[in-house]
Amino acid sequence: MTEQAARDNDLAAEVQRLRSSQRRLSLYCGGVTLLAVAGLLMGASAHRDASFDVIDAQRINIREPDGTLRLVVSNRARFPGGFMKGEEITAHKRPMAGMLFLNDEGTENGGLIFNGALGKDGRPDSGMSLTFDRYQQDQQLQLLGLDGPEGSFAGLMFNDVADGLRRPIFSADDERLAKAGEEAITRRVFLGKSGSRNAMLQLLDAKGNPRLQLQVTPKGEATLAFLDEAGETTRVISASDP
């Protein structure tokens, strides 16, 4: 064998050795990669908790493990419509940001909404409403505060609300009865501050007519008024009465 042939054989052997080493290295790297991916996946499955200092979002949906929507936190633009049994069945008609509460069945059962800005006339137009609904119906308890062109007031209201099993909100029967003048909600109690700045407790009958009204004016004048079905005052008791 010539010296050149020997050098060629040595070169070929070195190339073969490098190729074998490369295959072993590739297999090793592939194995390490698979193990790393598997570890990450297992870690993601075992540890689903996370901690954040700040979250910027337009809307956040909170769901049960089975996917049932329970709470929506949203800005004004992405605030949802009405929900019934997990389905969004009405369009968004509330130009406010806030939170929407949903029960175990994915049906709306209250919420918190709020807004506030100066109108084109330079007067404030702002408000806040926290409500708790009757099952498959509208609010039977509401905390409300408004400051708008027609004045300001704040109060807690208790309402008679239709039976949600017999008259589900958003149903055809609900719309038909509302158009016929039979409202699903009737206010029965108001406790708060009126637009005239009077502190007031007002009790209403089943038709929503005020029948008894206790109030104190900003000057401290306290009265107890009785009203008839037409809203006319029939008797007033004040601190100056004998």
Side-chain angles (χ1 to χ4, degrees), residues 2 20 51 67 71 110 112 116 137 157 181 185 191 199 201 213 224 227:
T2 66
S20 298
S51 177
L71 174 69
L112 170 67
Q137 252 300 334
M157 285 161 281
I185 301 178
L191 174 63
L201 170 63
Q213 188 166 285
L224 176 63
L227 302 92

Side-chain angles (χ1 to χ4, degrees), residues 7-226:
R7 284 198 297 269
D8 291 343
N9 287 340
D10 290 342
L11 179 60
E14 182 65 18
V15 170
Q16 184 62 32
R17 186 183 65 80
L18 290 174
R19 286 176 177 175
S20 298
S21 298
Q22 185 180 18
R23 283 197 296 270
R24 287 196 297 270
L25 182 60
S26 298
L27 290 173
Y28 173 77
C29 292
V32 170
T33 302
L34 288 174
L35 289 173
V37 172
L40 289 173
L41 292 175
M42 291 176 65
S45 299
H47 303 285
R48 300 179 64 89
D49 296 337
S51 177
F52 303 93
D53 291 331
V54 177
I55 297 176
D56 285 333
Q58 295 191 49
R59 173 170 162 172
I60 298 175
N61 294 338
I62 306 298
R63 298 182 182 273
E64 296 289 355
D66 64 359
T68 302
L69 187 62
R70 297 302 307 276
L71 174 69
V72 177
V73 182
S74 176
N75 64 10
R76 180 178 61 184
R78 298 184 63 86
F79 202 87
F83 278 83
M84 179 68 74
K85 304 290 186 180
E87 297 292 332
E88 188 172 359
I89 59 177
T90 65
H92 167 40
K93 297 180 180 179
R94 292 170 277 208
M96 298 184 179
M99 297 186 292
L100 186 69
F101 311 145
L102 298 99
N103 65 16
D104 296 334
E105 300 172 341
T107 297
E108 180 179 344
N109 67 344
L112 170 67
I113 55 176
F114 50 89
N115 71 346
L118 287 178
K120 295 181 179 180
D121 58 359
R123 301 175 65 182
D125 183 8
S126 66
M128 182 277 297
S129 173
L130 174 64
T131 59
F132 301 92
D133 298 346
R134 189 176 180 185
Y135 180 74
Q136 292 190 167
Q137 252 300 334
D138 221 331
Q139 59 255 23
Q140 57 184 351
L141 174 61
Q142 181 178 27
L143 179 62
L144 181 66
L146 296 176
D147 187 8
E150 299 179 359
S152 65
F153 80 94
L156 180 64
M157 285 161 281
F158 300 87
N159 306 316
D160 274 343
V161 183
D163 187 338
L165 292 176
R166 298 180 179 179
R167 181 181 173 176
I169 193 171
F170 309 130
S171 66
D173 284 343
D174 187 47
E175 295 182 2
R176 176 180 57 80
L177 291 170
K179 289 180 180 179
E182 188 175 336
E183 298 295 335
I185 301 178
T186 304
R187 184 183 300 175
R188 297 300 309 277
V189 179
F190 173 81
L191 174 63
K193 180 180 70 69
S194 69
S196 56
R197 297 177 57 225
N198 292 340
M200 178 186 299
L201 170 63
Q202 189 179 67
L203 306 181
L204 304 91
D205 61 23
K207 295 181 181 180
N209 301 312
R211 303 305 294 268
L212 185 147
Q213 188 166 285
L214 173 65
Q215 65 179 357
V216 178
T217 69
K219 294 182 179 181
E221 300 170 347
T223 57
L224 176 63
F226 298 86

